[in-house]
Amino acid sequence: MEDQAEPGDKAAIPLSSVSMPLGVRSVQCPLEEAQQEASEAQGLEGALPSPQDGPATLASEPHAHSSSSHGDEAAGDARASLQDALRRKEARLVTFLLHKYRAKEPTTKAEMLEQVIQDHQDHFPDIFSEASKDLQLTFGIDVKEVDPSSHSYVLVPTLGLTWDGVTEEQRLPKTGLLALLLGMIFLWGGRVPEKEVWKMLSARGVYPGREHVIFGDPRELITGVWVQEQYLEYWQVPDSNPARFHLRWGPRAQAEASKVQVVLFLFRLLSTPIGPFLCPSEEARTNEDQGP
């Protein structure tokens, strides 16, 4: 295959000149609670980050202040208990929205409150916001409001992609991994060495040749399914011996993916533990410049 202009060549944005949002939580293979709630969803493996700990318990005070100390401890325990309850609600909301996505059904705020949130309705904005982040970063699903008056929502693949991320073998959406790869390619200026892709994915617990609960066979998904779907190109470096391969955006990705949404997606990912693996290191750049 002949070399060609890369999507990143025209769309590259100096990320160092753009302020990064703070406070984006680490997202790995999520949702222990959702796994327990939805075994029919083929077992959602892993866990959300642990609930934030409550304030540190105050050290023992003199006897005269013991009642105040006990009161602070009780307040801290209550806050920790509330955080734990909200995280369970968040996991259940993710599971609920995954079912809606697979069924291609819209939902409403009222339905979410009735079916999932129930006695924590005052905390709906926070629960909904965190569940939406988890859906996007892990499963590649965006939650979009379509009618503000009725607070109705639809669930669609992220980045403007049209592939729903579900295969016959694995019914959990995989668009999050595709969006991750497209973003990494973007950061690398249009093409990324295959070995760097696996280095990054290994940091997320995804390995070549090892079956994954969400992605199935990741190598087949990346170099087979997505190449066939024309989202990726698997390109051999000319004259490389042993053979080396790069991944590039395919024509379908170039036609569908919004560069603005790719950058926003990257902003969230770069604040997570896999963020450092997305950007090319000096050593990797040097190796690429040296050629075969």
Side-chain angles (χ1 to χ4, degrees):
M1 181 183 296
E2 296 182 358
D3 205 353
Q4 62 186 37
E6 310 295 348
D9 295 340
K10 295 184 292 183
I13 294 176
L15 295 178
S16 60
S17 67
V18 185
S19 59
M20 298 288 290
L22 301 177
V24 177
R25 297 182 314 150
S26 303
V27 175
Q28 297 175 325
C29 187
L31 310 186
E32 180 180 33
E33 294 93 340
Q35 182 179 13
Q36 297 169 354
E37 293 289 325
S39 58
E40 71 275 12
Q42 293 188 354
L44 299 174
E45 188 175 66
L48 284 166
S50 300
Q52 296 178 354
D53 294 332
T57 302
L58 296 175
S60 297
E61 296 288 340
H63 181 72
H65 300 287
S66 61
S67 60
S68 175
S69 176
H70 288 313
D72 290 340
E73 290 178 9
D77 291 343
R79 283 190 289 270
S81 177
L82 175 61
Q83 288 294 322
D84 186 58
L86 295 182
R87 296 302 288 278
R88 288 197 299 270
K89 290 294 184 182
E90 178 190 334
R92 291 168 185 160
L93 183 57
V94 169
T95 301
F96 174 81
L97 293 173
L98 279 173
H99 283 301
K100 289 291 183 180
Y101 178 79
R102 285 163 43 189
K104 302 186 187 306
E105 295 176 356
T107 189
T108 64
K109 177 181 177 180
E111 185 179 32
M112 287 183 274
L113 289 173
E114 179 183 356
Q115 298 291 327
V116 181
I117 309 302
Q118 298 170 343
D119 53 346
H120 289 85
Q121 297 193 11
D122 290 346
H123 297 278
F124 174 77
D126 292 334
I127 296 171
F128 180 70
S129 175
E130 294 301 326
S132 297
K133 289 178 186 177
D134 292 334
L135 279 170
Q136 185 189 56
L137 295 185
T138 302
F139 298 105
I141 299 172
D142 287 342
V143 185
K144 292 191 173 183
E145 189 173 38
V146 292
D147 187 350
S149 63
S150 63
H151 298 291
S152 59
Y153 301 86
V154 294
L155 296 107
V156 297
T158 194
L159 306 186
L161 305 177
T162 59
W163 189 70
D164 67 5
V166 178
T167 63
E168 292 183 2
E169 295 79 13
Q170 297 281 336
R171 298 184 63 201
L172 293 175
K174 300 161 191 61
T175 322
L177 180 58
L178 177 57
L180 174 63
L181 293 178
L182 293 177
M184 186 179 187
I185 293 168
F186 184 88
L187 283 177
W188 275 74
R191 61 186 179 188
V192 60
E194 181 186 15
K195 66 177 182 179
E196 297 296 330
V197 169
W198 290 115
K199 185 186 299 183
M200 179 273 294
L201 291 180
S202 295
R204 198 186 184 195
V206 180
Y207 304 95
R210 182 183 299 181
E211 193 79 5
H212 191 275
V213 67
I214 297 177
F215 309 123
D217 181 345
R219 184 183 293 279
E220 171 59 24
L221 183 63
I222 294 170
T223 64
V225 174
W226 287 335
V227 170
Q228 185 176 4
E229 293 285 344
Q230 298 189 323
Y231 278 115
L232 296 174
E233 290 182 349
Y234 190 57
W235 174 72
Q236 182 174 348
V237 178
D239 302 321
S240 58
N241 185 20
R244 293 186 294 115
F245 293 87
H246 284 175
L247 287 169
R248 310 189 296 194
W249 283 31
R252 189 171 172 185
Q254 296 192 48
E256 295 177 2
S258 160
K259 300 297 193 302
V260 172
Q261 290 188 44
V262 170
V263 172
L264 293 175
F265 186 80
L266 286 170
F267 279 171
R268 286 181 170 176
L269 281 174
L270 289 173
S271 298
T272 71
I274 65 168
F277 295 90
L278 293 174
C279 300
S281 64
E282 285 299 322
E283 179 183 2
R285 282 295 195 194
T286 301
N287 291 340
E288 286 303 300
D289 291 340
Q290 291 175 350

